[in-house]
Amino acid sequence: MSAAAPRPPPPPSIPGLAVRRGLARAAILWERIWPAIAPLLGVLGVFAVVALTGLLPLLPGWFHAALLAGFAGTAIAAGLRGLRRIRLPGVAEGERRLERISGLAHRPLASLADRPAGGIDDPATAMLWAAHQARAAEAARRLRVGAPHPGLARRDPLALRAGLGLALLAALVIAGPEAGPRLRAALAPAFGAAPAPPLPLRLELWITPPAYTGIAPLFLRHEPGAAPVAITVPAGSRLAAHLSGGSGSPPVLDAGAGEVAFRALDAQSFAAEVTLGTPGRLAVRRDGHEIAAWPLRLLSDGAPTVAFVAPPGRAGAAPQLRIEFDARDDYGITSVEAILRLAARPDVEPLRVPLPVPAGAARQVRGTGQPDLSAHPWAGLPARITLEARDGADQTGRSETLTVELPERHFEHPVARALIALRKRMTLAPEERNAHGRELDRLSAAPEAFDHDLTVFLGLRAARSRLRFDRREEAVAEVQELLWNLALRIEEGGRDRTWRQLSELREQLREAIERAERGEEVDRAELERLAEQLREAMQRYFEALVEAMRREGVETLPFDRNARTLDMREMQRMAERMQEAARQGELERMRRELAELERAIERLQQGRMSRMESPERQQQREQGQQMMGAVNDMLQRQGQLMDRSHQRAEQDREARQPPRGQRQQRPGQMAPGQPQRSDQQPSADQRRQAEREMDRRQQQALRRALGELMEQFADFTGEVPEQLGEADLAMREAVEALRRGDNAAAQAAQQRAIEALQEGGREMQNQMAGRMGLMEPGEAEGDPGGDNSEMGSDRSGEGRELGQGRDPLGRPRRDDVGGRDEGSDVHVPDEMEMQRTREIQEELRRRAGERERPELELEYIDRLLRRF
């Protein structure tokens, strides 16, 4: 009996092999399912994007349903097609995937399950088979399942799946909390006129206070569950309420003065407006249910108050009524008026005079009004005055009532005074027309009293006839206005009368001089009398001319060196020299002085006519005044900066000098042997550095202001003086020096800036004078003004000019006076100037005696006293 063949050993067990086979089969199943359902998911994703945008409910019902059917059919087709492609993987497919992912060759898992076909005959074969099984088991222990790979990238090379994902994410963000309602609405097409779903309830309030209060509007929004906030607004505020959403009947608004129904804006929006006038509670109700409520408090608006700051009276020498007042209100004063009532006739309609108040309705107004009532029929009569203030709510407040005599204009001419007096009597007793007419007859019967002025005569007769035949009440006021115009004509006509008298006396004196030169006997007393009368007539004409120019508003540009000054003193000196020549019998000298005086008078008359200003000319003059004022301000500020730089430069020089041996110690100064605290010097340096930095910023700001001024002047005249450019350059050097800490260089640059500003200011004056034509007749043709007949040439130096033929100090050039200066322009100080000089000297000596002052200041005072 032969021995049995050996049986092969069982395959080695591999832990976890069954689990790996199951995961591999699941991965294969996912790789088959995902590509199969990807078209279905794509269709569902496109539908979700369209639904979340909210477009489907806006379409007609049939079209909406058709789209839903199309999406549903496409999804079903894609799903069925994908299901047909899905089949379950077998065990062998799982093993093959494991071997492929693990990178194993020769199919080790199949080797573990294999059996020898012919059996095992000998031990050698058994050992060989066991080794083969062991090698396969060892390879199987390295098995990996790996991640599934559906392979969508091959099927979707354009990456449409990523675009769809981004679109879906954006639609979700846009829809926000309305994503669910939008999806439900997309799945339910509306085939009828079904009402839209109610929107969330939203209640907003706008409260606008009255415009005169200046308070900003208040906005409130109802927040469910939030505690109500008390509302405090001025009375009379306007409330606008807007409610949207919710469901129910139109709401009502209860503002304390009764319920106000909301008006419908559309199916779900309502609005209401009401003026808040009753405090208490503000509520909004709907269908008997209170939606929201707020406590309401209203601020009452009190009436304004106004009072006199000082008793009203005449404003200096001017015929104006000065009224100083103080008005106050909760929200602002809009107007203040002075109510005047005639004291003698309180039943007459009062006169209301507006007083100036600032724009913007200030809460407190403290101002001064100076109305000119000299032309009013009440001028010169007692009146009762009351102030009335008004606020934005048209509420008024009044002050106490005072009595004041209204200022009136003073008339010199007797007929003008008589007309003004008659005008007052007509105000007090308008019914006495016969008496007033007799007074007009008396005045018109003496035409020589008003120089036979035909206009005045006819005016007086017309006034008398109107009083007699025109019985209207308004006729008296019309006659009063006519009398005022006649009084002005008579009074202001004095300039022409004095001119005629002056011309007649000039002619008489000239004839007397000519008779004396022909050898006829002429008494010196007569010449002296005529010269004295000429001087008096010239004085009267000059006063009348100045008064007329003041009324006409004729002025010259300040700082204009080419404009002649109306100096009456020089003309009086001409007349006095002519009288002295008459007493001495010097006829040639009299003729010379008379000719010079006549030329001065004629140029005075021509200058008055040439200086009549138009509104455009006056505006240009005001602009020139502002620019010259800016130059003066710059000079003052630049001088202050230079003084501080000078002080710091002096301190720097003292710090570099060695200490003096025996120096008098002043209060607060340390003794030579006393140790100095180490913390004092750094603090002093820091202060000086801070002051220098502040001056640098001020200097930079001053330079910027100069640049703006140069731009304005260039727009005004078309060119900029070179000296202003030099001043700008010097200011820039001063800024750089202050930045470096070089006080001496800064002082020098600032000194140059001051000199350049002074020269630039003079050049600005010349350019503005030339542009505005403010030169006297004859100067435009190149008249150097060398003759002594020019009007207003001030030989005392008060009107010294810097025109042609003079140096920068105003002195005549040597080539213009024959190579010598005879001192014609020497100015002898008057008593006032000498007194002022003495006061300055005494003040300097007093300060020099105060030895506790800083040493730098004392040295500066010593230098000033040495100059005196």
Side-chain angles (χ1 to χ4, degrees), residues 521-565:
E521 183 177 356
V522 179
D523 190 4
R524 293 184 180 179
E526 181 182 359
L527 294 176
E528 187 175 354
R529 178 182 59 82
L530 291 175
E532 176 64 20
Q533 292 178 355
L534 180 63
R535 186 185 66 80
E536 294 176 355
M538 185 176 59
Q539 174 70 23
R540 291 192 298 269
Y541 172 72
F542 187 84
E543 293 175 355
L545 180 61
V546 170
E547 175 64 20
M549 293 178 66
R550 184 188 66 81
R551 289 193 302 268
E552 294 167 357
V554 179
E555 299 180 17
T556 57
L557 187 67
F559 312 107
D560 181 12
R561 71 188 189 186
N562 290 322
R564 305 293 184 176
T565 305

Side-chain angles (χ1 to χ4, degrees), residues 68-371:
L68 287 179
F71 276 112
T74 304
I76 293 173
L80 293 177
R81 182 171 179 271
L83 289 176
R84 287 196 299 268
R85 297 172 57 186
I86 299 175
R87 60 183 181 84
L88 297 178
V91 177
E93 291 177 335
E95 291 180 353
R96 298 292 81 78
R97 188 182 190 282
L98 288 175
E99 294 171 348
R100 187 178 66 255
I101 295 299
S102 302
L104 301 179
H106 308 297
R107 301 177 63 181
L109 293 180
S111 299
L112 293 176
D114 287 345
R115 293 289 183 272
I120 299 176
D121 297 334
D122 54 26
T125 302
M127 293 178 59
L128 181 60
W129 182 257
H132 173 67
Q133 291 282 322
R135 187 181 300 111
E138 182 65 25
R141 289 187 181 93
R142 299 194 301 271
L143 293 175
R144 291 184 298 107
V145 177
H149 297 282
L152 288 179
R154 295 191 305 271
R155 296 179 175 87
D156 183 17
L158 299 179
L160 296 178
R161 62 190 185 283
L164 180 60
L166 291 176
L168 182 60
L169 179 61
L172 287 172
V173 173
I174 294 174
E178 297 183 0
R182 290 188 180 185
L183 289 176
R184 289 192 296 270
L187 295 174
F191 293 97
L199 298 176
L201 183 64
R202 189 171 188 176
L203 177 60
E204 297 176 342
L205 302 180
W206 274 96
I207 302 179
T208 305
Y212 67 86
T213 62
I215 300 177
L218 178 64
F219 175 73
L220 295 175
R221 176 178 293 172
H222 170 58
E223 299 291 344
V229 180
I231 300 175
T232 302
V233 292
S237 298
R238 190 70 178 172
L239 168 65
H242 182 269
L243 185 144
S244 62
S247 60
S249 60
V252 293
L253 174 65
D254 185 2
E259 294 184 350
V260 177
F262 280 72
R263 68 179 186 277
L265 301 179
D266 55 30
Q268 294 185 341
S269 298
F270 305 88
E273 294 184 1
V274 67
T275 300
L276 302 178
T278 304
R281 194 165 180 268
L282 180 64
V284 177
R285 301 185 182 91
R286 191 175 200 177
D287 296 333
H289 172 67
E290 188 173 87
I291 299 176
W294 296 269
L296 179 61
R297 178 172 175 263
L298 299 181
L299 301 177
S300 60
D301 183 9
T305 60
V306 62
F308 290 99
V309 177
R314 190 183 184 95
Q320 297 175 339
L321 180 63
R322 181 179 179 85
I323 304 174
E324 299 183 40
F325 63 92
D326 188 336
R328 304 186 182 190
D329 186 66
D330 300 337
Y331 298 107
I333 298 293
T334 59
S335 65
V336 177
E337 290 182 331
I339 303 176
L340 300 174
R341 289 181 172 83
L342 192 61
R345 299 177 59 195
D347 57 327
V348 178
E349 183 71 18
L351 173 65
R352 306 182 75 93
V353 179
L355 300 178
V357 296
R363 295 188 177 184
Q364 180 178 3
V365 177
R366 188 181 181 94
T368 302
Q370 293 186 353

Side-chain angles (χ1 to χ4, degrees), residues 380-660:
L381 298 176
R384 298 184 181 277
I385 179 172
T386 305
L387 298 181
E388 181 181 271
R390 191 177 300 272
D391 63 4
D394 207 24
Q395 301 180 107
T396 59
R398 294 195 174 186
S399 68
E400 59 178 335
T401 301
L402 301 178
T403 302
V404 61
E405 182 176 338
L406 299 182
E408 62 178 335
R409 176 177 173 175
H410 179 68
F411 288 85
E412 297 290 344
H413 198 280
V415 178
R417 289 201 301 268
L419 291 177
I420 296 302
L422 176 60
R423 193 163 171 259
K424 293 181 185 178
R425 292 196 297 271
M426 294 175 65
T427 300
L428 298 176
E431 69 280 358
E432 299 179 1
R433 297 194 175 197
N434 294 332
H436 305 328
R438 288 193 296 271
E439 178 65 15
L440 290 174
D441 286 337
R442 186 186 66 82
L443 293 175
S444 62
E448 66 277 2
F450 46 84
D451 296 336
H452 298 277
D453 191 332
L454 183 59
T455 302
V456 175
F457 176 78
L458 294 177
L460 294 176
R461 301 306 295 175
R464 182 254 186 194
S465 300
R466 183 170 295 182
L467 285 177
R468 182 177 179 181
F469 299 106
D470 193 347
R471 312 310 295 179
R472 296 179 301 115
E473 294 182 0
E474 296 83 0
V476 176
E478 295 172 357
V479 170
Q480 287 179 315
E481 183 178 0
L482 177 59
L483 296 182
W484 171 258
N485 294 329
L486 293 177
L488 288 180
R489 178 179 178 85
I490 295 172
E491 182 70 17
E492 295 180 356
R495 182 182 64 216
D496 298 331
R497 291 193 303 272
T498 55
W499 173 254
R500 289 195 299 269
Q501 295 173 2
L502 182 59
S503 300
E504 293 174 359
L505 288 173
R506 287 162 53 192
E507 186 64 26
Q508 293 177 11
L509 184 57
R510 186 183 301 107
E511 291 178 356
I513 294 175
E514 291 177 355
R515 292 199 311 270
E517 289 180 345
R518 289 195 302 265
E520 299 180 9
E521 183 177 356
V522 179
D523 190 4
R524 293 184 180 179
E526 181 182 359
L527 294 176
E528 187 175 354
R529 178 182 59 82
L530 291 175
E532 176 64 20
Q533 292 178 355
L534 180 63
R535 186 185 66 80
E536 294 176 355
M538 185 176 59
Q539 174 70 23
R540 291 192 298 269
Y541 172 72
F542 187 84
E543 293 175 355
L545 180 61
V546 170
E547 175 64 20
M549 293 178 66
R550 184 188 66 81
R551 289 193 302 268
E552 294 167 357
V554 179
E555 299 180 17
T556 57
L557 187 67
F559 312 107
D560 181 12
R561 71 188 189 186
N562 290 322
R564 305 293 184 176
T565 305
L566 300 179
D567 192 354
M568 185 58 192
R569 290 176 295 180
E570 177 60 26
M571 301 177 71
Q572 290 288 349
R573 284 193 289 269
M574 294 180 187
E576 291 173 359
R577 289 196 296 270
M578 188 168 53
Q579 284 182 276
E580 180 65 23
R583 282 193 295 268
Q584 297 177 5
E586 301 179 2
L587 298 179
E588 182 62 27
R589 182 182 171 191
M590 284 189 65
R591 175 182 290 278
R592 205 168 46 244
E593 294 292 342
L594 179 60
E596 182 179 353
L597 183 61
E598 287 178 343
R599 285 194 296 268
I601 293 175
E602 291 175 0
R603 295 191 65 178
L604 178 64
Q605 180 74 5
Q606 295 174 358
R608 184 188 69 83
M609 298 303 297
S610 65
R611 295 180 184 187
M612 297 296 292
E613 291 184 338
S614 62
E616 181 181 0
R617 177 81 164 272
Q618 185 177 5
Q619 182 179 5
Q620 293 176 351
R621 177 176 55 81
E622 292 176 355
Q623 293 178 359
Q625 290 176 349
Q626 294 175 359
M627 285 187 283
M628 293 310 302
V631 172
N632 291 338
D633 181 64
M634 288 182 186
L635 283 170
Q636 182 180 1
R637 293 169 60 187
Q638 188 64 72
Q640 295 173 356
L641 291 173
M642 188 187 68
D643 291 342
R644 291 197 290 269
S645 297
H646 172 73
Q647 294 176 2
R648 288 193 297 270
E650 291 289 337
Q651 294 174 2
D652 293 343
R653 282 193 289 270
E654 289 183 358
R656 289 193 296 267
Q657 291 177 357
R660 300 179 182 177

